[in-house]
Amino acid sequence: MRCWLSALLLTLVFGQGIAAELRIGLSGEVTSLDPHLLASQPNLTVGRHVFESLTDVDPQTRLIPGLAERWRAIDATTWEFNLRRGVKFHDGSDFTAGDAAFSLQRPLSIKGSPGGFASYVRAIASVTAVDAHTLRIKTRYPYGALPEDINSILIVSQKHALNAGPEDFDAGRAMIGTGPYKFLKYQRGDRLELARNDLWWGKAPAWPSWDRVTLRVIPADPSRTAALLSGELDVIEHVPSADIKNINKNNKLVTTQTTSWRTILLHLDQYRAQPPGVTDANGKALTKNPFMDLRVRQAISKAINRAAIAERVMEGLAVPAANIVSPGVFGHNAALKAEAYDPEGAKRLLTEAGYPNGFRVTLAGPNNRYINDEQVLQTVAQLLTRAGITTRVEAMPMSAFLGRVRKEDTSFALLGWGSFAADLALRSLVAAPNPDKGYGAWNWGRYANPKVDALMEQALASVDRPQREALAREANTLAMQDLAFIPLHHQVVSWAMRAGLGYTPRTDEFTFAHHFTPRGR
């Protein structure tokens, strides 16, 4: 009865034949369907339609149950997770603690992984399936952030993924999850086609409205907007700032938005004596790395007009940043204020640091990943050049950019990062790189501060959430005062859709087909 009524309502809203399929335009490149290969937002977006995690988060990034109904810390190094009963994989087999244990161990076994997921499981010493619905996890040291960490590990079927590699997921052979949609077809660089999973245990807001879902990969902003306006798509994410006003004037379309968890920042090389792309004002090699001097980092920060970027370049889709995480996120320090624009102060600091004539630098970043990313790069370059740091921009597709970063061929680069908590963000972005502990996986500049690391580790070790947040906030504050990286802004993320649809905007920026509802429901 519920399915029939849903279909009837949608037919009335959209017209005959349209209700069965929801077509979504994604903004980021999907590089793999293997849910444990690369921890990028686009990969996780498509992955979470097919797979699920033990813990989940609501639209405000608050932890809620997922495949685990509840969990508790037995002691500082032992956690117990009670799993849902009656959950089925897409092939009809039962989801058990054995599948969960296998999935938590798999990220460390993938050879050639570009990184990301391993940091979420490095703290785990052992995983034991006590019985079919009870999982016990021992950590290598006291660790309070385990429930947040394992939210990023999607649960696969051990039977189908035991000997599977990325190619098996891309071909669909291993794409057997417990999620709301089943894999149909994947065309790299174009689309992922999904069908409703009638065995799903969950009750999403729009369930069971969409029989089929097509996730189109359209990184180019104009093309994504054009596809929505033409009726080729029903929904697009990351609406270009230039199109927001026009879309809001269109009575056939609606938008929704919120401040996201993503902080846009600039990483600076702080480990090589002669970083690539950095020379003196005449183009000659420098004898020391200017980024290692706090005064230079302060000068760069003062030279950037964050308010102008937020208002003009981002056209209101940004909040100037001074934190590693956005407002409302665990560990955010509201007392930290965005650096005021002060180009003369920047010049004085450069002179004090021994660079009265400035120096030259190349700023690298993506041109198809974040909101107006190339325009942000160009604006930052112009502002730095006015302050005496002659800056050249190298903007490229995200896939090519990450390749450059992995080859350590950049020394000044733009990155966007979102996290559930300040201590988790510090672990990835700021902690001294330590592969054994999973620290610093995205610390491209190899910044290192023992005091920051110590506070971060104390925060992560605490199973007392108020104590953990106080420590995380203190570590965040110290890292930002030392300018471990240069924070620019927090993105305001937007979705645009047909007027008959509704969507609760998510702080984590994820776009989930099963959360789109006919308005009024």
Side-chain angles (χ1 to χ4, degrees):
M1 175 66 73
R2 185 183 175 199
C3 294
W4 182 83
L5 288 173
S6 296
L8 176 60
L9 174 60
L10 286 169
T11 299
L12 291 173
V13 172
F14 291 112
Q16 186 67 34
I18 297 178
E21 181 180 8
L22 186 68
R23 304 160 301 170
I24 300 175
L26 302 180
S27 61
E29 296 178 273
V30 178
T31 59
S32 174
L33 297 188
D34 188 326
H36 302 144
L37 185 66
L38 177 64
S40 71
Q41 181 108 7
N43 290 3
L44 281 167
T45 294
V46 299
R48 286 188 178 278
H49 284 80
V50 175
F51 304 102
E52 298 172 289
S53 47
L54 295 181
T55 61
D56 203 352
V57 293
D58 68 9
Q60 290 75 44
T61 68
R62 295 173 296 209
L63 275 174
I64 58 174
L67 288 175
E69 288 185 306
R70 58 189 179 277
W71 54 90
R72 66 188 178 105
I74 296 176
D75 56 47
T77 60
T78 309
W79 290 80
E80 187 173 271
F81 291 80
N82 299 107
L83 310 185
R84 293 185 186 277
R85 297 173 183 269
V87 176
K88 301 285 186 180
F89 281 104
H90 296 160
D91 64 352
S93 61
D94 292 329
F95 157 67
T96 69
D99 298 296
F102 170 79
S103 300
L104 292 175
Q105 295 164 330
R106 185 172 180 267
L108 293 175
S109 70
I110 301 177
K111 295 181 180 179
S113 171
F117 286 108
S119 64
Y120 300 122
V121 296
R122 288 287 186 192
I124 296 176
S126 65
V127 186
T128 304
V130 178
D131 57 44
H133 301 100
T134 307
L135 192 71
R136 191 161 292 163
I137 300 176
K138 293 284 291 184
T139 56
R140 297 161 61 190
Y141 35 79
Y143 193 62
L146 186 69
E148 284 97 343
D149 270 356
I150 63 175
N151 170 261
S152 296
I153 305 299
L154 299 182
I155 305 302
V156 299
S157 164
Q158 182 175 7
K159 178 175 68 175
H160 293 280
L162 183 59
N163 297 307
E167 66 282 357
D168 296 297
F169 285 92
D170 289 353
R173 293 185 293 272
M175 288 290 286
I176 308 296
T178 61
Y181 293 100
K182 298 186 292 185
F183 173 90
L184 287 180
K185 184 179 180 181
Y186 173 50
Q187 293 177 249
R188 183 180 294 276
D190 182 30
R191 71 187 64 202
L192 179 71
E193 296 179 11
L194 305 168
R196 188 177 72 198
N197 171 23
D198 291 322
L199 298 177
W200 191 44
W201 61 270
K203 295 181 180 179
W207 196 255
S209 300
W210 320 117
D211 294 324
R212 292 173 64 98
V213 169
T214 298
L215 302 175
R216 290 278 308 279
V217 178
I218 310 179
D221 289 345
S223 299
R224 203 164 59 255
T225 300
L228 176 69
L229 294 173
S230 69
E232 183 181 344
L233 294 175
D234 303 304
V235 178
I236 62 172
E237 63 176 10
H238 292 287
V239 184
S241 60
D243 296 333
I244 289 283
K245 291 180 180 179
N246 287 334
I247 288 175
N248 284 335
K249 293 177 183 177
N250 189 327
N251 59 14
K252 295 181 179 180
L253 301 172
V254 293
T255 60
T256 187
Q257 61 186 204
T258 189
T259 300
S260 88
W261 66 354
R262 189 176 303 281
T263 303
I264 304 298
L265 57 97
L266 300 175
H267 267 310
L268 310 96
D269 184 309
Q270 297 181 57
Y271 70 101
R272 288 178 285 192
Q274 293 183 322
V278 182
T279 68
D280 69 11
N282 297 313
K284 296 181 180 179
L286 291 168
T287 57
K288 60 181 180 179
N289 182 343
F291 297 141
M292 291 182 178
D293 192 319
L294 175 59
R295 293 169 297 183
V296 172
R297 301 197 297 275
Q298 290 172 332
I300 292 172
S301 186
K302 287 180 179 296
I304 297 171
N305 191 336
R306 292 168 178 79
I309 291 175
E311 294 168 12
R312 300 171 195 167
V313 180
M314 298 294 290
E315 299 186 68
L317 298 184
V319 177
N323 271 256
I324 196 169
V325 289
S326 61
V329 174
F330 187 89
H332 177 88
N333 184 357
L336 291 175
K337 303 301 180 184
E339 184 86 62
Y341 178 49
D342 182 7
E344 295 306 314
K347 292 175 182 178
R348 286 194 298 271
L349 283 166
L350 288 174
T351 299
E352 289 177 19
Y355 303 96
N357 298 317
F359 55 89
R360 295 183 181 181
V361 66
T362 297
L363 174 59
N367 59 10
N368 65 347
R369 178 64 187 94
Y370 312 117
I371 301 172
N372 298 346
D373 43 16
E374 185 168 6
Q375 296 97 307
V376 171
L377 288 167
Q378 295 290 353
T379 302
V380 168
Q382 293 170 15
L383 291 166
L384 293 181
T385 298
R386 290 176 192 170
I389 302 173
T390 304
T391 306
R392 182 174 69 92
V393 168
E394 288 187 353
M396 63 203 79
M398 188 66 173
S399 55
F401 172 60
L402 289 178
R404 286 277 302 276
V405 171
R406 283 193 288 271
K407 293 177 182 177
E408 299 185 345
D409 194 26
T410 61
S411 58
F412 193 29
L414 182 142
L415 175 67
W417 191 264
S419 184
F420 301 116
D423 50 2
L424 295 176
L426 289 164
R427 181 184 63 187
S428 294
L429 294 172
V430 171
N434 184 328
D436 185 54
K437 291 185 176 182
Y439 292 173
W442 294 78
N443 182 357
W444 296 343
R446 296 193 194 177
Y447 169 85
N449 185 325
K451 292 182 179 179
V452 172
D453 287 359
L455 285 167
M456 176 204 70
E457 289 191 312
Q458 290 177 49
L460 292 172
S462 178
V463 295
D464 180 316
R465 284 190 71 82
Q467 179 189 54
R468 178 186 159 201
E469 183 165 23
L471 290 164
R473 187 177 291 114
E474 186 178 354
N476 166 28
T477 302
L478 182 57
M480 292 298 91
Q481 289 173 340
D482 199 32
L483 290 176
F485 56 75
I486 309 296
L488 296 180
H489 56 263
H490 308 299
Q491 287 191 164
V492 172
V493 63
S494 306
W495 290 261
M497 65 206 79
R498 291 184 178 276
L501 290 172
Y503 190 69
T504 299
R506 296 183 62 90
T507 299
D508 59 16
E509 297 190 2
F510 280 112
T511 302
F512 296 140
H514 45 299
H515 287 188
F516 283 91
T517 63
R519 287 186 177 269
R521 283 185 61 190

